[in-house]
Amino acid sequence: MVFEAHLQQAVLLKKVVDAMKDLCKDVNFDCSEKGMQVQAMDSSHVALVSLMLREAAFAEFKCDRSMSLGMNVDSLAKIFKMCGSGDSLKLRWQNDADTVNFQCESGQEDRIADFDLKLMQIEAEHMEIPEQHYKVVAKMPSSEFQKICRDLKEFGETMSMSASKEGIRFSVQGDIGTGNVMLKPREAEKPEDKVSLTVHEPVTATFALRYLVNFAKAAPLCGVVELGLGPDAPLLVKYDLEEAGNGHMQFYLAPKIDE
C-alpha cells in the first residue's frame, strides 16, 4: 500500500492550496491511479470547491489503490511556504501511516526541506456534481475577472452578472451608488487576452461578492478563467491548472435568490 507522487513544480500545488485556504478548513485528497481529487464545501455550504489534479501533471505518480488523505489546508499552506519558487515536490504515504511526507527540493538539489504532516479523519460525503449545460459560457483573462471582483466589492456585497451577445455586465448596487463593468467580446493573439462569449440565451444572476473574490484568488493558476451561467443554476468558475491536461480547479456558487 503505497502512494508516491513527484511534482516537477511544487508551486502548482501551492497555488491550489492558496486558492482553497480561505474557503475550506480541512479537505480530503482522494487519490487513485487517475490522480488527486478534492471536493469540499465551504463552512456555510454556499460554495463548492472541486479540484482534479491529473496523473499527467506529475513527473511520477504511483497509487496502487484508492485512498483518502485528510489534511488541514492552513497546515498545507505553511508547508508550501518552505518551498522555493523553482522547487520540485515529492509526496509519500505508505501502509496506513498517520502522516504524509512532503519533500521540497531545489533545482540544484542542494536544499531539501521536508515535513511530515499529520493526517486527519475528515467526515465528508462525496457529492456528484451533475453535468450542467450552461446557457452562457464566458472566457476572459483571469486577472481581469479578479480586478472586477475586487473593485466592485468596494461598493456592495452582491454582484449581478448579466450576459448577452453584446457582452457580460458585472453590476453592484450599494449605499453610495451603482457600479457596472461591461466586458465585450474581443479577439487577441494570446488566448489569455481574449474575451469570448457563447450565449444560448441571455442570463442574469446575482452572487455574493466575497465568494467571488475568494474564487478569483485562483488567478495565478491560469491566464484564462471560464464562467458558466444558467438561470437559477450555480455559477461555475473554472481554471485549468496551467494547461487543461494537468486538470482543473472549479468553484461552484449558489445564486442569491431575492427574498
Side-chain angles (χ1 to χ4, degrees), residues 10-256:
V11 68
L12 178 63
L13 205 47
K14 178 187 193 308
K15 289 173 186 171
V16 163
V17 169
D18 287 344
M20 271 197 295
K21 70 173 187 231
D22 292 328
L23 291 161
C24 312
K25 199 162 124 23
D26 304 316
V27 299
N28 278 321
F29 281 85
D30 296 318
C31 308
S32 68
E33 67 276 4
K34 291 195 178 119
M36 295 171 79
Q37 265 181 299
V38 170
Q39 265 197 18
M41 299 286 295
D42 77 301
S43 54
S44 58
H45 285 251
V46 178
L48 172 71
V49 181
S50 174
L51 168 74
M52 176 74 215
L53 188 55
R54 292 191 214 283
E55 178 256 346
F58 296 89
E60 291 164 37
F61 191 85
K62 186 173 154 196
C63 179
D64 50 18
R65 68 166 175 112
S66 298
M67 60 188 75
S68 274
L69 303 175
M71 302 183 215
N72 174 275
V73 182
D74 274 339
S75 306
L76 283 172
K78 288 173 186 167
I79 292 173
F80 283 116
K81 282 210 172 95
M82 296 173 24
C83 280
S85 55
D87 285 10
S88 67
L89 173 73
K90 286 184 178 143
L91 289 174
R92 278 198 202 90
W93 177 84
Q94 57 197 23
N95 294 345
D96 302 321
D98 57 1
T99 60
V100 61
N101 178 259
F102 288 78
Q103 186 176 311
C104 301
E105 233 175 69
S106 66
Q108 287 75 38
E109 297 184 6
D110 53 8
R111 190 182 70 96
I112 298 173
D114 82 286
F115 192 86
D116 287 320
L117 177 68
K118 289 194 172 103
L119 291 172
M120 312 169 69
Q121 288 296 325
I122 300 165
E123 289 302 311
E125 70 284 20
H126 195 78
M127 293 147 290
E128 281 307 312
I129 301 168
E131 187 62 41
Q132 296 277 355
H133 296 288
Y134 294 101
K135 297 294 179 198
V136 173
V137 175
K139 290 185 178 180
M140 65 188 71
S142 50
S143 55
E144 204 155 342
F145 177 63
Q146 186 171 33
K147 182 170 168 29
I148 289 168
C149 293
R150 281 180 178 165
D151 291 351
L152 292 180
K153 188 175 181 285
E154 299 296 316
F155 303 111
E157 288 174 5
T158 56
M159 174 163 83
S160 87
M161 295 184 193
S162 50
S164 64
K165 295 260 195 285
E166 279 69 64
I168 182 164
R169 181 192 298 274
F170 302 90
S171 316
V172 168
Q173 283 183 321
D175 299 339
I176 61 167
T178 309
N180 298 293
V181 178
M182 174 81 170
L183 275 191
K184 295 183 176 178
R186 62 167 186 246
E187 281 304 317
E189 278 180 28
K190 291 187 189 154
E192 59 267 29
D193 295 334
K194 256 171 49 164
V195 175
S196 69
L197 279 163
T198 309
V199 180
H200 299 294
E201 64 179 67
V203 173
T204 298
T206 305
F207 302 97
L209 251 168
R210 66 188 183 96
Y211 289 103
L212 295 173
V213 169
N214 272 335
F215 298 173
K217 284 182 183 158
L221 281 171
C222 187
V224 181
V225 62
E226 182 180 315
L227 305 178
L229 282 164
D232 306 322
L235 167 76
L236 164 71
V237 181
K238 178 179 177 181
Y239 299 87
D240 285 331
L241 302 181
E242 290 169 1
E243 49 183 87
N246 289 339
H248 52 250
M249 189 160 194
Q250 297 181 162
F251 301 93
Y252 294 88
L253 182 61
K256 288 188 91 70

